[in-house]
Structures are given as structure tokens and as C-alpha cells.
């Protein structure tokens, strides 16, 4: 890894699919209970949420640089001990989806140092065999699963930092993939997300380009290829991405977490595959991951961003018109990176799972606060459209940055 970069991961609900849960409204500052840490091993950077063992309870999959860890959920917001499965070197992001058509969620892991993706097909009970690896571009920090050629099968896309491009792996239908095709983007692509941004029922992509302070929109042709990239200026060093309908106009919008400028850029979609200029909303120091969900139950989409230097999560409540209220911050673990959203305890309210990089080796779970149990935020401050993505209940998008790179 190049000097001066860390790994980060974003998840919104799906790197390709988001959820919004309608629940009784909460006031800002009382949304989440204190975090509970679960050991995931290694150096956790990416996290995804899905029911991996088919028991109707959401589980966690965590990319921790040395492997991918699975933590089965108990259905009450607590988790069993992690079980690790082999991946590649510096595994930093994980996508979840049914890759072989058996109705069970499988895992795909982006391995930064190995320039490949590890695919782990579910045995049917939430356990996984040895991975099968597929070459992609150089140093992939981001991965997303979506249908890019319209055959109803989930394909894979990676953002490749070292080669300034993205790779597409088209699914053969059995969870196997032929050689990857690559397409150019701007400098240092990190986060990657999928959706239908122009309403043509074809899978499109958006990529966060850390090195050029912009995001790139790539409209799909429906056959696994893409039109010429179009770039949009963002805040400084965009890394994580979330996709959703932030202004309730039935058109997909984009949010990027901008590490160096300590804000989130919101790009409202025009419905034709183009985006409006970014509006920036302040969060904490060095945001890496960003995820979307209705956190206060008002049916308006909100955002959650992980702040690496502050060891917390900023919640930005949506006003329903594409603008957001000032941040409320909630404690997480040390140096949080990836974030995913899902109802982890079955109460109908979206909860958070946050991967804590540094040396803690943990994932923090922040459960939504029951209506009768308000909590004070760590720092008081003043319709989602289903995408093509793989994970029905969680999202993710990644990134690699300063500190971590000097350690791996």
C-alpha cells in the first residue's frame, strides 16, 4: 500500500441496496444506545449484514484484513463468537448476495494486496468452504454486487486504487466468474456503489475517487459494459458512498464521506443519470464510511457517517428535501471504518454495526433506543428505492487511507 493511506469502508444499506424502516419517531440525540463491542479478530475494516444461516436473524460478516469473520446473531441484538474464514491478503471489504442462485447469501471479499476477489459460497448453514479467487485490477479497496447485464444474476464490481479503474466480474450463474473486464475512472477509486440512476432498469455504478476529489457516474448499457464516465466535484478525499432517495422524488441520490474535508457531500439525482452539484454537510474528523436509513422513524432518509479520528458516528437527520440537520454524535469503538445498517434485534428499528480498525479487533453494535429509554448522545449538537445490490439489510462501500497503509 502506498504511504499515507488508511483503509475505510462505507456502507449504507447495501452498497447497492438500502432499507428504510418506519418506526415511531425519536427526537435527535436519543436514537442509539451505547455501543457493545464484539471481537471480530484481526483488523476490522469492512462490515456487512445479512441472514447467513437462514434462521431469520441477521448476522455480521466482517473483513478484518487477514480473513472474513462471521458472527451469528441471536435475534436480540447480541452476537455469538466470531468464526473466521480464509480470504486474501489485506481483505478490506465484503459484499453479500446470492451468487449461485440457491437462495442463500454468499460472500465476496476485496483483497487489496492480492489484486483479487475471494468468493465464498454458503454451505447452507452460514459456514463457508475455502475461497475461490478471481483477479481484478490493482489494489481493490471496494466491492459491490449487482446485476450489470440484465440476466437476473448478481455480478461483482471492484474499485481498483492502484490501476485507477474498476473491474466487472460477470456471473456465469453458478457463482463462478470469467476473466474481469476493466474500465477507467479518475484517480484513486475507493468506494463503489450500484443503482439505477436513470430509470432504464440497467445497473449503473458510482465511484468515489479519493485522489481527484470527485465522484464518477457510470451509466450501464445493460450488457456488462458502461458509458463514458462523468465526474462531479465532491469534498476532499471522498472514500465511502451511500445511495438512496434523499428528497423523496423517486430518483436516486448519492452521498460521499469525505475524509480530508470532514464532511459528507450530497448529490441529488436528476433521474436521467446526472447529478446536481454537491451540497456539503459537516460531520466529525476523518469520515470514512457512510450509510443510509430512517433512524428516527419519520419516513425521511437519514445518514450515518463513521469518524475515524473521533471514534464515533455522526447521525444526519434528513429533512425530506435532500437537506440534513446538524450532526448528532454517538460513541463507537476506536477508529471506526466500515458501517452497515439493519434491524439486528427484530424491533423494527434500524441498528448500526461499525467495524473498528486500529488494534481493538472489534465490531461495535449500536442498537436503536426504545421509545421509553432515551439516551444522551456522546456530543450534543445542534422510500428508499431498492437497488440492484446484494445485501437486503445492510450496505457497505470501502476505502484505504493513511495510517493503515503504513502498517500493512
Amino acid at each position: 500500500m502506498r504511504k499515507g493511506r488508511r483503509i475505510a469502508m462505507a456502507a449504507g444499506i447495501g452498497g447497492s441496496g438500502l432499507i428504510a424502516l418506519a418506526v415511531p419517531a425519536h427526537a435527535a440525540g436519543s436514537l442509539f444506545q451505547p455501543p457493545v463491542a464484539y471481537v471480530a479478530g484481526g483488523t476490522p475494516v469492512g462490515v456487512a449484514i445479512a441472514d447467513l444461516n437462514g434462521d431469520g436473524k441477521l448476522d455480521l460478516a466482517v473483513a478484518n484484513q487477514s480473513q472474513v469473520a462471521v458472527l451469528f446473531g441471536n435475534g436480540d441484538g447480541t452476537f455469538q463468537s466470531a468464526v473466521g474464514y480464509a480470504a486474501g491478503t489485506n481483505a478490506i471489504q465484503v459484499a453479500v448476495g446470492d451468487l449461485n442462485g440457491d437462495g442463500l447469501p454468499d460472500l465476496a471479499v476485496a483483497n487489496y494486496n492480492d489484486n483479487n476477489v475471494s468468493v465464498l459460497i454458503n454451505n447452507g448453514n452460514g459456514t463457508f468452504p475455502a475461497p475461490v479467487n478471481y483477479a481484478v485490477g490493482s489494489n481493490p479497496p471496494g466491492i459491490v454486487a449487482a446485476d450489470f447485464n440484465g440476466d437476473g444474476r448478481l455480478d461483482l464490481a471492484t474499485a481498483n486504487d492502484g490501476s485507477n479503474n474498476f473491474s466487472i466480474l460477470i456471473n456465469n450463474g453458478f457463482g463462478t466468474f470469467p476473466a474481469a473486464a476493466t474500465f477507467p475512472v479518475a484517480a484513486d477509486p475507493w468506494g463503489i456503489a450500484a443503482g439505477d440512476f436513470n430509470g432504464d432498469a440497467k445497473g449503473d455504478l458510482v465511484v468515489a475517487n479519493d485522489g481527484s476529489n470527485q465522484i464518477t457516474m457510470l451509466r450501464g448499457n445493460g450488457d456488462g459494459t458502461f458509458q463514458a464516465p462523468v465526474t462531479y466535484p465532491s469534498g476532499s478525499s471522498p472514500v465511502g458512498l451511500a445511495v438512496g432517495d434523499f428528497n423523496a422524488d423517486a430518483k436516486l441520490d448519492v452521498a460521499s464521506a469525505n475524509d480530508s474535508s470532514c464532511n459528507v457531500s450530497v448529490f441529488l439525482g436528476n433521474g436521467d443519470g446526472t447529478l446536481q452539484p454537491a451540497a456539503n454537510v459537516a460531520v466529525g474528523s476523518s469520515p470514512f464510511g457512510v450509510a443510509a436509513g430512517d433512524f428516527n422513524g419519520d419516513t425521511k432518509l437519514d445518514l450515518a457517517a463513521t469518524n475515524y479520528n473521533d471514534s464515533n458516528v455522526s447521525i444526519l437527520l434528513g429533512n425530506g428535501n435532500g437537506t440534513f440537520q446538524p450532526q448528532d454524535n454517538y460513541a463507537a469503538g476506536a477508529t471506526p471504518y466500515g458501517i452497515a445498517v439493519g434491524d439486528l434485534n427484530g424491533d423494527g428499528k434500524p441498528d448500526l454495526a461499525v467495524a473498528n480498525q486500529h488494534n481493538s479487533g472489534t465490531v461495535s453494535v449500536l442498537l436503536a433506543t426504545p421509545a421509553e429509554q432515551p439516551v444522551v448522545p456522546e456530543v450534543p449538537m445542534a422510500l428508499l428505492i431498492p437497488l440492484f445490490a446484494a445485501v437486503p439489510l445492510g450496505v457497505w462501500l470501502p476505502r484505504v487511507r493513511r495510517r493503515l497503509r503504513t502498517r500493512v
Side-chain angles (χ1 to χ4, degrees), residues 23-65:
V23 298
H26 270 288
S30 63
L31 298 175
F32 295 98
Q33 301 176 46
V36 177
Y38 295 88
V39 175
T43 305
V45 285
V47 60
I49 296 175
D51 180 7
L52 298 174
N53 60 351
D55 64 355
K57 304 167 184 175
L58 289 181
D59 312 307
L60 302 178
V62 182
N64 63 17
Q65 291 197 266

Side-chain angles (χ1 to χ4, degrees), residues 5-405:
R5 295 191 177 274
R6 258 182 334 225
I7 290 183
M9 166 111 69
I13 217 160
S16 309
L18 301 175
I19 59 170
L21 302 177
V23 298
H26 270 288
S30 63
L31 298 175
F32 295 98
Q33 301 176 46
V36 177
Y38 295 88
V39 175
T43 305
V45 285
V47 60
I49 296 175
D51 180 7
L52 298 174
N53 60 351
D55 64 355
K57 304 167 184 175
L58 289 181
D59 312 307
L60 302 178
V62 182
N64 63 17
Q65 291 197 266
S66 58
Q67 58 184 2
V68 59
V70 171
L71 293 84
F72 288 146
N74 295 316
D76 59 359
T78 65
F79 291 85
Q80 301 175 30
S81 298
V83 177
Y85 297 92
T89 306
N90 202 0
I92 64 172
Q93 171 67 323
V94 57
V96 182
D98 180 9
L99 299 178
N100 64 344
D102 63 357
L104 302 170
D106 309 304
L107 303 178
V109 183
N111 304 309
Y112 188 91
N113 287 7
D114 289 345
N115 307 325
N116 64 18
V117 169
S118 293
V119 172
L120 296 87
I121 299 298
N122 199 323
N123 288 323
N125 58 0
T127 65
F128 297 87
V132 177
N133 297 326
Y134 297 91
V136 293
S138 177
N139 306 129
I143 187 168
V144 65
D147 182 8
F148 298 117
N149 64 344
D151 63 358
R153 303 164 181 168
L154 287 179
D155 310 307
L156 298 174
T158 63
N160 307 314
D161 163 39
S163 47
N164 293 331
N165 57 20
F166 69 96
S167 295
I168 297 292
L169 291 163
I170 297 296
N171 197 332
N172 285 325
F174 304 99
T176 60
F177 300 84
T182 59
F183 304 85
V185 289
D188 292 345
W190 297 108
I192 187 167
D196 182 8
F197 293 98
N198 59 349
D200 63 356
K202 300 173 184 177
D204 308 314
L205 284 171
V206 60
V207 177
N209 303 297
D210 169 54
S212 59
N213 302 328
Q214 58 191 197
I215 67 169
T216 299
M217 176 64 68
L218 301 119
R219 284 176 283 186
N221 294 317
D223 58 0
T225 65
F226 294 82
Q227 299 178 34
V230 178
T231 58
Y232 297 87
S234 67
S236 298
S237 302
V239 288
L241 292 171
V243 175
D245 183 4
F246 303 136
N247 60 347
D249 64 352
K251 302 169 185 176
L252 285 181
D253 311 309
V254 179
S256 69
N258 308 313
D259 169 34
S260 296
S261 52
C262 301
N263 58 18
V264 169
S265 293
V266 176
F267 303 82
L268 297 181
N270 294 315
D272 59 359
T274 64
L275 301 173
Q276 298 177 34
N280 296 326
V281 186
V283 291
S285 179
S286 292
F288 281 84
V290 61
D294 179 9
F295 300 124
N296 63 344
D298 65 354
T299 71
K300 301 170 185 176
L301 201 57
D302 312 310
L303 292 171
T306 57
N307 301 311
Y308 182 91
N309 288 341
D310 294 338
S311 296
N312 63 17
V313 175
S314 290
I315 300 296
L316 303 171
L317 295 180
N319 295 316
N321 60 359
T323 65
F324 293 84
Q325 298 175 33
Q327 61 183 307
D328 279 307
N329 295 332
Y330 296 82
T335 58
Y337 276 94
I339 185 169
V341 181
D343 181 5
L344 301 177
N345 60 351
D347 65 354
K349 303 173 184 178
D351 309 305
L352 303 177
V354 178
N356 305 308
Q357 181 252 317
H358 234 247
N359 299 318
S360 65
T362 64
V363 173
S364 292
V365 172
L366 288 79
L367 297 179
T369 303
E372 69 278 4
Q373 183 190 341
V375 297
V376 177
E378 183 208 12
V379 180
M381 289 185 174
L383 261 139
L384 200 60
I385 297 178
L387 310 182
F388 291 90
V391 179
L393 292 175
V395 311
W396 58 101
L397 319 169
R399 143 95 226 271
V400 182
R401 300 207 58 70
R402 273 186 223 67
R403 262 165 259 176
L404 187 56
R405 287 195 167 176

